[in-house]
Amino acid sequence: MPRFLPITRDGLVDQVVRRVLVSHTHTVIAVEGADAAEPATLAAEVATALRHIGRSADVVSLHDYVRPAALRMEFGRTDEMSYRTAWFDYAALRREVVDALRHHDRWLPALWDEATDRSARVPIRTALPVTTILIAGPMLAGRHLDADLTLRLDMSDAALRRTTPPETEWTIAALLRHDRENPYSPTFFVRWDHPGRPALRIDEDSAG
């Protein structure tokens, strides 16, 4: 049975960094969490910590891999099904980041500019040896990203409703349904209702 231990943000970052350091090849980390959890912020903290010790690391936000607005909003601006199935281009993320990094030593930081609804037009980056890419965003589970490590920032229904801006509250039902339909065991499962006081799940059979 799992149990949860309080941990600081710095402590969580340190645990992720330790897991990365045992690898001598490129590493892909999926940092999954609702926008309210700000997964890209934590991913950036991990990337910064890795760079401080001489490892190449960068963050790719799922919001830089949205589909064009005509596809995202074909059935309206607040359609739950569209948010789960048509909002983000997970296939392109796998192709242009995960596979490109592993097979071609390069990756595309962004595909589409969500604000301007145009191509991001950013250059492809060449990966240095042993590069870590952290992919951050919602609903990453079940998308065949084949990440080496997964970090889940888990928020309860109540926490989501407390922290999600009114204009995006319509996404909560989609997030909760996706979680129900895509259960998995991440490398790091973190209770994130209060980001200043996270708790890390520890499996009894591996806790010593």
Side-chain angles (χ1 to χ4, degrees):
M1 293 292 294
R3 59 192 177 98
F4 288 84
L5 295 178
I7 191 170
T8 64
R9 287 180 73 112
D10 287 346
L12 177 60
V13 168
D14 183 62
Q15 291 221 17
V16 177
V17 167
R18 288 184 188 181
R19 290 293 297 266
V20 173
L21 291 181
V22 302
S23 174
H24 300 289
T25 60
H26 297 319
T27 301
V28 175
I29 305 176
V31 184
E32 182 188 31
D35 288 343
E38 300 183 344
T41 300
L42 183 67
E45 292 172 18
V46 175
T48 297
L50 285 166
R51 289 194 291 266
H52 280 169
I53 56 177
R55 285 279 186 128
S56 174
D58 212 333
V59 177
V60 174
S61 171
L62 184 60
H63 280 277
D64 288 326
Y65 272 80
V66 294
R67 289 192 168 99
L71 297 176
R72 299 198 311 271
M73 303 176 187
E74 181 179 2
F75 300 102
R77 292 179 175 272
T78 60
D79 183 71
E80 175 195 334
M81 179 66 74
S82 295
Y83 188 64
R84 288 192 293 118
T85 63
W87 207 269
F88 303 104
D89 198 338
Y90 298 97
L93 187 63
R94 170 69 184 263
R95 181 181 67 250
E96 303 294 344
V97 178
V98 180
D99 291 345
L101 178 69
R102 288 175 176 159
H103 303 305
H104 305 291
D105 297 320
R106 61 177 186 257
W107 85 96
L108 183 65
L111 182 68
W112 199 258
D113 189 313
E114 190 171 15
T116 64
D117 197 35
R118 295 179 180 178
S119 171
R121 298 186 181 277
V122 297
I124 293 172
R125 294 184 185 176
T126 300
L128 295 174
V130 197
T131 288
T132 296
I133 298 296
L134 297 104
I135 299 171
M139 301 182 292
L140 297 180
R143 307 298 184 176
H144 308 291
L145 295 178
D146 192 27
D148 299 293
L149 300 172
T150 50
L151 195 164
R152 162 77 180 168
L153 303 179
D154 188 72
M155 299 184 77
S156 65
D157 185 335
L160 284 172
R161 297 189 187 284
R162 185 181 71 247
T163 56
T164 301
E167 63 270 20
T168 55
E169 284 183 349
W170 63 272
T171 64
I172 294 175
L175 293 166
L176 294 174
R177 181 170 180 177
H178 178 83
D179 290 346
R180 290 194 301 269
E181 294 180 354
N182 294 274
Y184 73 113
S185 297
T187 314
F188 301 95
F189 184 99
V190 187
R191 283 183 173 164
W192 204 250
D193 283 7
H194 303 281
R197 303 192 305 275
L200 179 65
R201 187 178 71 189
I202 304 295
D203 294 331
E204 292 287 4
D205 59 1
S206 62

